[in-house]
């Protein structure tokens, strides 16, 4: 069975859990204790040398890490990835956009506010990542005006991966009110049958270390 290494509050791991759910693929979870930074433990570094979640162990034992790569692998040959080369390249383009412009800004604002709880001490840094985050949201808003999904006419992993930190923007003290197309897109994705809440995780089969 597929084995996902994650922790519940990881946005990057949520992208993988969403992809697995949309594809109705069974998997088991190993929960990493992030409160004691066990992502850095030798046990976990043997799985992902970068010491980050998510990582996925395939049924034959091979490992993949990084949410975009895992989502791309899982969605191959499914409705979450276009068949044509141009459509697939557009999906990759939006996966890169998410990692560079959304995760590093909107996701980082959430990390400072929620995980580190250091919004006051890091006010200048927070303001800067929020400023950059709003630029990314502007880009997404412009692209989604008049469109239903980021690529083509149905939900792809480009939507799933971009959705996660946008949907949690409020946790980084960011406001989606000025973004009607983005808000409609978030609601559209949340209404899809394969959608699962971040907290709706299967019970872990193991905790590391
Ligand atoms: N590019 C990676 C980023 C992974 C990442 O930054 N993961 C965070 C959680 S969202 C992590 O493991 N942080 C280490 C920790 O919090 O201990 C991906 O998309 O999967």
């Amino acid at each position: 069975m597929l084995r996902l290494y994650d922790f519940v509050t990881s946005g990057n791991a949520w992208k993988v859990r969403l992809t697995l759910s949309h594809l109705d693929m069974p998997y088991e979870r190993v929960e990493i204790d992030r409160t004691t930074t066990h992502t850095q433990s030798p046990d976990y570094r043997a799985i992902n040398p970068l010491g980050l979640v998510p990582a996925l162990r395939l049924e034959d034992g091979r490992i993949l890490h990084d949410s975009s790569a895992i989502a791309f692998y899982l969605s191959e040959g499914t409705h979450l990835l276009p068949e044509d080369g141009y459509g697939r390249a557009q999906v990759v383009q939006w996966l890169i956009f998410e990692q560079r412009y959304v995760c590093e800004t909107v996701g980082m604002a959430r990390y400072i506010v929620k995980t580190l709880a250091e919004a006051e001490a890091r006010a200048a840094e927070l303001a800067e990542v929020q400023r950059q985050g709003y630029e990314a949201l502007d880009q997404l808003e412009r692209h989604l005006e008049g469109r239903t999904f980021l690529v083509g006419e149905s939900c792809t992993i480009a939507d799933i991966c971009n959705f996660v930190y946008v949907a949690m923007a409020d946790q980084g003290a960011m406001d989606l009110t000025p973004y009607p197309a983005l808000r409609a897109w978030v609601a559209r994705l949340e209404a899809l049958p394969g959608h699962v809440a971040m907290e709706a995780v299967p019970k872990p089969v193991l905790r590391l270390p």
Side-chain angles (χ1 to χ4, degrees):
M1 183 176 291
L2 294 170
R3 172 174 278 202
L4 176 64
Y5 296 83
D6 73 354
F7 49 79
V8 179
T9 56
S10 160
N12 288 305
W14 190 23
K15 296 171 193 170
V16 176
R17 295 198 299 271
L18 279 165
T19 303
L20 287 160
S21 174
H22 276 277
L23 296 174
D24 207 14
M25 286 182 177
Y27 67 100
E28 60 186 19
R29 279 182 69 235
V30 173
E31 189 159 299
I32 313 298
D33 187 351
R34 75 90 50 85
T35 59
T36 45
T37 65
H38 284 146
T39 44
Q40 305 303 317
S41 70
D43 278 359
Y44 186 63
R45 285 209 169 231
I47 292 153
N48 180 359
L50 300 178
L52 298 169
V53 300
L56 187 76
R57 195 186 72 182
L58 309 182
E59 285 168 8
D60 62 9
R62 290 178 297 169
I63 304 273
L64 270 178
H65 56 76
D66 272 72
S67 54
S68 309
I70 297 171
F72 195 88
Y73 175 82
L74 292 172
S75 61
E76 183 72 52
T78 76
H79 61 280
L80 293 181
L81 194 62
E83 281 176 24
D84 67 295
Y86 184 67
R88 293 161 76 84
Q90 284 182 303
V91 166
V92 172
Q93 173 190 299
W94 283 109
L95 294 177
I96 293 169
F97 175 85
E98 192 280 333
Q99 289 279 293
R100 167 69 182 81
Y101 296 106
V102 179
C103 185
E104 292 294 321
T105 61
V106 184
M108 182 54 74
R110 172 179 180 259
Y111 184 65
I112 294 171
V113 172
K114 188 178 160 72
T115 308
L116 300 180
E118 287 182 356
E120 273 179 38
R122 297 171 71 163
E125 185 190 351
L126 177 61
E128 178 55 17
V129 293
Q130 287 169 331
R131 187 192 65 73
Q132 292 178 21
Y134 282 121
E135 285 182 2
L137 298 182
D138 290 344
Q139 294 279 350
L140 283 167
E141 177 74 11
R142 273 197 292 276
H143 184 76
L144 283 165
E145 278 166 1
R147 284 189 175 87
T148 313
F149 296 103
L150 287 174
V151 179
E153 298 307 318
S154 64
C155 173
T156 67
I157 54 167
D159 297 289
I160 292 171
C161 290
N162 277 274
F163 161 85
V164 160
Y165 287 110
V166 173
M168 299 192 294
D170 61 322
Q171 296 182 21
M174 296 185 66
D175 182 12
L176 291 186
T177 307
Y179 298 97
L182 257 184
R183 284 187 285 110
W185 170 78
V186 165
R188 200 172 298 130
L189 290 170
E190 285 172 341
L192 291 176
H195 182 78
V196 276
M198 174 179 243
E199 301 77 17
V201 291
K203 201 169 153 30
V205 291
L206 196 73
R207 288 175 200 273
L208 270 189

